[in-house]
């Protein structure tokens, strides 16, 4: 059975595209082949085939005191209120 091919388009800055073309060429690949490798690995891994995370700075991080952390940890172990459980179990429809 023949596979139907489709396109995937994205916008990049000229600088990003130029760097991507240079780097794929240095690996002996075309940009299209590199994107196909990425998509294949993304699908194989069920997500990014590498770690993706944001930089965390002390300016945006909230640190809890030992007492506050203890209260927080105890709250995680306590029973979930019925109203909260019902809300979590509700089926949502994300329609426009």
């Amino acid at each position: 059975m023949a596979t139907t091919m489709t396109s995937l388009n994205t916008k990049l800055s000229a600088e990003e595209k130029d760097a991507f073309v240079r780097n794929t060429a240095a690996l002996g690949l075309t940009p299209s082949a590199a994107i196909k490798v990425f998509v294949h690995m993304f699908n194989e891994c069920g997500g990014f085939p590498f770690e993706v995370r944001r930089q965390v700075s002390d300016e945006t991080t909230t640190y809890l005191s030992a007492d506050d952390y203890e209260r927080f940890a105890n709250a995680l172990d306590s029973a979930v209120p019925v109203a909260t459980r019902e809300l979590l179990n509700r089926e949502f429809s994300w329609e426009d």
Side-chain angles (χ1 to χ4, degrees), residues 13-30:
S13 70
E15 294 81 16
E16 287 176 314
K17 181 182 177 187
D18 291 343
F20 186 66
V21 170
R22 282 193 312 275
N23 284 309
T24 57
L27 292 171
L29 297 170
T30 64

Side-chain angles (χ1 to χ4, degrees), residues 49-61:
F50 47 82
E51 187 173 334
V52 176
R53 62 183 178 156
R54 63 184 180 84
Q55 291 290 336
V56 177
S57 71
D58 284 339
E59 297 166 1
T60 60
T61 302

Side-chain angles (χ1 to χ4, degrees), residues 2-8 36:
T3 301
T4 302
M5 302 301 280
T6 186
S7 295
L8 176 67
K36 287 178 184 177

Side-chain angles (χ1 to χ4, degrees), residues 9-46:
N9 299 307
T10 188
K11 298 280 186 182
L12 301 171
S13 70
E15 294 81 16
E16 287 176 314
K17 181 182 177 187
D18 291 343
F20 186 66
V21 170
R22 282 193 312 275
N23 284 309
T24 57
L27 292 171
L29 297 170
T30 64
S32 181
I35 291 169
K36 287 178 184 177
V37 169
F38 172 75
V39 169
H40 174 78
M41 291 306 300
F42 189 93
N43 292 335
E44 282 281 313
C45 295

